[in-house]
Amino acid sequence: MRMPVDDPYGFELPAPAPRVGAAQKKHRKGGFYLYVDLVPTSAWFSNLRAELSPSEWKSCATYAAKRAGFCCEVCEGRGPKWPVECHERWAFDDVTGIQKLVRLEALCPDCHEATHIGLAQARGHYERAAGHLMRVNRWTAEELKVHLREAVAVFKSRSDRPWQLDASLLMSLPIRLSDRSRALIERHAGAARVLPGVSARNQLIEQTLGR
């Protein structure tokens, strides 16, 4: 796989990078800290869009967009075709195995793509996503490498176990949910299912590292 010219890293660094918490944000002038959010492969089937009806997911996206004034909560920008997209932020408890929804964020398409940089790589948009991360965070290429290395380390660790979905946050938001969806949320019906084998896991690792 082709390696981007500004992405010559892997697991060769002598020391682990500083840990960046899944829900951590740093206030910066003009917005918030933008970070890569790799969902564990064992939780790929545990997400809101898979569990909610199209109208319910649209209600979530509309809520997040209106709350943010239809501007990106990270860079304060807007997309050319649609202003923002809804992004789920999860907290992963390594002790209990609970994947808890902590926030619905409104992100512009560029910030959303950068957050899912592994998917961006798979679509051939790695350089664009990496460049956006560096611009928003005022990072050097080396700082980006450190962050991605840490994101991959956390991703690898969390992909080795199943996760139980907790989307109870939705019950407290002004979002219309059907009785079926409420029942699913209440009993944590989105229990994680581990994908067979490790090929998908290794593929995403390679994509994120730009290999």
Side-chain angles (χ1 to χ4, degrees):
M1 185 177 294
R2 182 175 64 88
M3 181 180 295
V5 294
D6 63 343
D7 189 25
Y9 48 85
F11 298 98
E12 75 284 354
L13 298 183
R19 181 167 298 279
V20 177
Q24 177 182 349
K25 288 183 178 180
K26 295 180 180 178
H27 286 276
R28 290 174 177 264
K29 184 177 181 180
F32 291 103
Y33 174 72
L34 180 62
Y35 58 94
V36 171
D37 200 6
L38 298 178
V39 176
T41 56
S42 52
W44 279 0
F45 294 110
S46 296
N47 60 76
L48 295 185
R49 200 160 192 174
E51 297 297 340
L52 301 180
S53 69
S55 62
E56 289 170 336
W57 173 250
K58 183 177 181 180
S59 180
C60 289
T62 300
Y63 159 76
K66 286 184 176 180
R67 186 197 61 210
F70 296 94
C71 291
C72 180
E73 294 184 69
V74 174
C75 72
E76 299 183 353
R78 297 184 180 187
K81 293 184 178 180
W82 51 86
V84 292
E85 300 170 346
C86 185
H87 179 64
E88 308 158 29
R89 289 294 189 188
W90 302 92
F92 293 86
D93 190 319
D94 295 318
V95 176
T96 65
I98 298 296
Q99 172 191 350
K100 186 178 180 64
L101 181 68
V102 294
R103 184 172 173 81
L104 296 177
E105 282 189 341
L107 300 180
C108 70
D110 285 342
C111 282
H112 202 190
E113 180 178 65
T115 296
H116 294 294
I117 198 168
L119 181 59
Q121 168 69 15
R123 293 174 174 173
H125 300 158
Y126 175 84
E127 287 85 353
R128 183 173 70 189
H132 188 73
L133 271 166
M134 289 191 289
R135 283 192 300 274
V136 170
N137 292 326
R138 300 177 185 175
W139 278 347
T140 64
E142 185 61 33
E143 288 174 314
L144 174 65
K145 297 175 193 177
V146 171
H147 177 64
L148 291 183
R149 178 179 168 83
E150 169 61 15
V152 167
V154 172
F155 166 78
K156 289 175 61 181
S157 174
R158 289 176 175 168
S159 293
D160 286 335
R161 64 171 301 166
W163 295 93
Q164 177 76 24
L165 189 76
D166 178 1
S168 56
L169 174 69
L170 295 182
M171 309 289 270
S172 65
L173 300 180
I175 295 171
R176 290 187 176 183
L177 298 171
S178 67
D179 292 339
R180 173 186 174 277
S181 294
R182 288 182 177 276
L184 287 173
I185 292 171
E186 288 171 354
R187 68 174 182 264
H188 297 169
R193 302 185 312 201
V194 179
L195 293 175
V198 295
S199 58
R201 172 177 179 268
N202 289 340
Q203 182 182 18
L204 183 54
I205 290 173
E206 289 192 355
Q207 290 171 353
T208 302
L209 292 177
R211 296 175 179 170

